[in-house]
Amino acid sequence: MSGPEEVLAELGLSVPDVVPPVAAYIPALRTGDYIFTSGQLPMKDGALLSTGKLGGEVSPEEGVAAAQQCALNALAAVKAEIGDLSLVKRVVKVTCFVASTPDFTSQPGIANGASELLGKVFGDAGRHTRSAVGVSVLPLDAPVEVEIIVEI
């Protein structure tokens, strides 16, 4: 069976470097057998993948890609905390915030970008509880922000 990083490689993806915090917080915190990540924005190579709101200037496809990048950034924060993603026993919870126009109601579909990636990477251990929440604005005008809780 392939480990999480091998699965990512098979998908043409990799764990990025941890995104530096944009305010006064740390990317991840371990307490007992759990790691909580801070909200991760869709940063790649030092820039947001897109900006704006779903239902406005950001397409659903861009939103799904942004949620996937957020999940990759959350995995980077987890890996920095424990050193090896194969130590993750299960993904417990995913919270996805979607900056959207008032008439946009497909937040769960956008959150699937993160959820489906975690399911592919961890198999059954990647199945998790989740909230997908529409918000009026996110930091740096990001379209999506994702935080995760994993058990190790």
Side-chain angles (χ1 to χ4, degrees):
M1 183 167 144
S2 298
E5 292 193 62
E6 290 80 17
V7 173
L8 283 169
E10 291 168 11
L11 296 171
L13 301 168
S14 62
V15 178
D17 292 334
V18 176
V19 176
V22 298
Y25 61 88
I26 57 176
L29 177 75
R30 179 179 180 171
T31 182
D33 292 335
Y34 296 92
I35 296 178
F36 295 74
T37 70
S38 293
Q40 300 293 314
L41 300 178
M43 301 290 281
K44 185 173 183 178
D45 301 323
L48 287 169
L49 289 183
S50 56
T51 58
K53 293 179 179 37
L54 275 292
E57 51 280 319
V58 178
S59 72
E61 296 78 19
E62 290 171 313
V64 168
Q68 178 178 290
Q69 186 63 45
C70 291
L72 286 170
N73 293 341
L75 290 177
V78 169
K79 182 179 177 184
E81 195 66 24
I82 61 172
D84 184 353
L85 290 177
S86 65
L87 297 174
V88 173
K89 289 182 182 176
R90 111 161 279 111
V91 179
V92 177
K93 173 83 179 198
V94 173
T95 305
C96 182
F97 301 95
V98 181
S100 49
T101 60
D103 60 335
F104 185 83
T105 60
S106 297
Q107 290 83 3
I110 302 306
N112 282 347
S115 293
E116 291 174 359
L117 177 68
L118 294 168
K120 289 175 186 173
V121 170
F122 295 105
D124 282 343
R127 295 182 68 210
H128 52 268
T129 62
R130 184 179 86 184
S131 298
V133 182
V135 298
S136 62
V137 67
L138 288 167
L140 307 178
D141 200 25
V144 181
E145 181 174 339
V146 171
E147 58 185 44
I148 68 173
I149 301 169
V150 299
E151 180 184 12
I152 54 172

